[in-house]
Amino acid sequence: MYAEERQQAIADLVARERRVSVSGAAHAFGVTTETVRRDLALLERHGLIHRVHGGAVAAGSLTTVEPAVAERDLAATAQKDRIAHAALDLLPVTGGSILLDAGTTTQRLAASLPTDRSLTVVTNAAGVATTLSAVSNPAEVHLLGGRVRAASLACVGPQTLAALADVRVDVAFLGTNGLTLEHGFTTPDQDEAAVKAAMVTAGRRVVVLTDSSKFGRETLVRFARLAQIDAVVTDDGVDPTDVRALEALDIDVVVA
């Protein structure tokens, strides 16, 4: 089967079943999951499907789809572990302050923070704060208040934004639901986008941690343009063309 025939077959499958998984398509068409992800990226650029965690949904399913935290935590686990480990090299060398966004990859970073330096950690995620409290770590933790979103377990709303308005950290580590070269970094929820945008402003250096499945995907609300981000840490499934495009914009790309 030629690539164009496979891509049409995948598009037909999504139109018929309303969704497809990467692993299911790879098995059905006898190709690797990386090939399927490239096919889905191409189909999404043509407006035929929307990519979601682990697969794709029909184009009519607007990208407000947001899996629960427990479901996201089971997706791309090996990649997220590598991303979190690689992000350690971007921490302040002699201590300092960092901001950790809510998310499954940032939580892995929290669990991996080194014990050889004193860090001040600001976060809007109770899970991150709990993780840091449960490990032998000299970090001083500041938990931002606000309304807790059930979908992400992130604190959002006016209280969170008011607290962030006075925060300035050495490095802000954020997650994202989508990343495109045309539109920047996006998330499905307006309140969460507002908090992420405030985090971008709060960081002297801003680093986005994202597995490669988020590339080429747009969700409902943009929280940062490409020019606002200093570095992206991702996995080796990323398209080299995307890496070169980001680097051409003076964004450091770390491939874990």
Side-chain angles (χ1 to χ4, degrees):
M1 180 180 288
Y2 292 109
E4 292 81 1
E5 294 174 317
R6 183 183 62 251
Q7 290 154 7
Q8 183 60 58
I10 292 174
D12 292 343
L13 179 62
V14 174
R16 185 171 62 253
E17 303 292 338
R18 307 302 296 169
R19 64 172 52 241
V20 68
S21 70
V22 170
S23 58
H27 178 74
F29 296 104
V31 295
T32 65
T33 55
E34 289 76 13
T35 296
V36 172
R37 290 191 182 95
R38 288 194 293 269
D39 289 342
L40 295 180
L42 177 64
L43 292 172
E44 187 173 50
R45 284 197 293 271
H46 287 292
L48 298 174
I49 56 101
H50 285 306
R51 286 195 291 168
V52 296
H53 282 284
V57 297
S61 302
L62 187 62
T63 49
T64 53
V65 177
E66 188 174 7
V69 172
E71 181 180 346
R72 295 203 307 272
D73 195 41
L74 295 175
T77 55
Q79 293 92 327
K80 291 174 182 177
D81 288 340
R82 295 201 305 271
I83 291 167
H85 182 75
L88 295 174
D89 290 336
L90 303 181
L91 291 169
V93 176
T94 57
S97 56
I98 65 172
L99 201 160
L100 289 182
D101 185 17
T104 56
T105 309
T106 50
Q107 181 135 345
R108 284 170 165 80
L109 175 57
S112 304
L113 288 180
T115 59
D116 61 352
R117 69 198 78 173
S118 180
L119 288 168
T120 298
V121 181
V122 181
T123 183
N124 68 326
V128 168
T130 300
T131 294
L132 289 172
S133 299
V135 298
S136 176
N137 194 298
E140 177 182 304
V141 183
H142 296 262
L143 178 60
L144 302 169
R147 176 178 63 86
V148 179
R149 285 193 67 229
S152 64
L153 302 182
C155 289
V156 298
Q159 184 178 348
T160 316
L161 293 173
L164 279 168
D166 296 325
V167 170
R168 187 69 167 161
V169 297
D170 294 307
V171 187
F173 292 95
L174 281 75
T176 187
N177 296 79
L179 161 57
T180 65
L181 299 175
E182 299 77 18
H183 196 58
F185 300 84
T186 56
T187 195
D189 181 77
Q190 291 186 353
D191 288 338
E192 193 141 359
V195 170
K196 287 177 180 288
M199 288 180 170
V200 170
T201 301
R204 290 188 177 93
R205 181 170 171 79
V206 183
V207 179
V208 174
L209 311 181
T210 176
D211 65 82
S212 58
S213 71
K214 313 291 180 56
F215 279 75
R217 181 190 303 172
E218 285 183 1
T219 55
L220 189 64
V221 189
R222 178 172 59 195
F223 64 86
R225 292 177 171 83
L226 294 177
Q228 295 176 278
I229 304 302
D230 297 293
V232 171
V233 186
T234 187
D235 61 77
D236 57 8
V238 67
D239 189 326
T241 303
D242 290 331
V243 173
R244 290 193 293 270
L246 292 176
E247 290 177 336
L249 297 171
D250 291 326
I251 298 174
D252 295 330
V253 181
V254 179
V255 179

